[in-house]
Amino acid sequence: MERRTTTETVIFRHPFRLAGFEQDEAPGIYTVEVEQEALDTLTVIGWRHISTTIRVRRQGATECVSINPTELREVRDRDQDPDAADFL
């Protein structure tokens, strides 16, 4: 089955934390990868979400951490909102 991976650069202006993170991540530039699998259908072209990961630097090494894409979108929206009082 065919798979594809898309890569996106995201910028956080404030410290942030996603589910499963033990501590806040620093503001900065992060790489997010989304892996999808082609649907097995003859009538339409479609893709099914397989995974979303974010690359974070921890103790001098880069880790790819699995994350929830909906939560990432919510955290990014809060980070970009100038009226948000709480960025975590």
Side-chain angles (χ1 to χ4, degrees):
M1 187 158 292
E2 183 181 355
R3 288 188 178 206
R4 71 179 180 188
T5 301
T6 55
T7 303
E8 178 183 6
T9 300
V10 295
I11 300 171
F12 286 98
R13 298 180 311 162
H14 305 93
F16 68 98
R17 185 182 301 191
L18 297 167
F21 285 32
E22 294 181 11
Q23 61 188 24
D24 293 350
E25 295 297 329
I29 300 170
Y30 292 83
T31 300
V32 174
E33 292 183 346
V34 176
E35 186 176 0
Q36 298 172 313
E37 179 177 75
L39 296 175
D40 189 16
T41 177
L42 298 174
T43 57
V44 295
I45 297 174
W47 297 88
R48 180 176 70 92
H49 178 263
I50 301 293
S51 68
T52 301
T53 58
I54 188 169
R55 292 184 197 162
V56 294
R57 298 271 307 160
R58 294 189 177 151
Q59 300 176 350
T62 301
E63 293 182 30
C64 290
V65 181
S66 183
I67 59 171
N68 178 309
T70 302
E71 181 187 16
L72 174 64
R73 186 172 34 256
E74 292 168 356
V75 170
R76 286 177 66 187
D77 288 349
R78 279 196 309 269
D79 182 71
Q80 299 302 313
D81 183 357
D83 297 327
D86 182 16
F87 298 107
L88 301 177

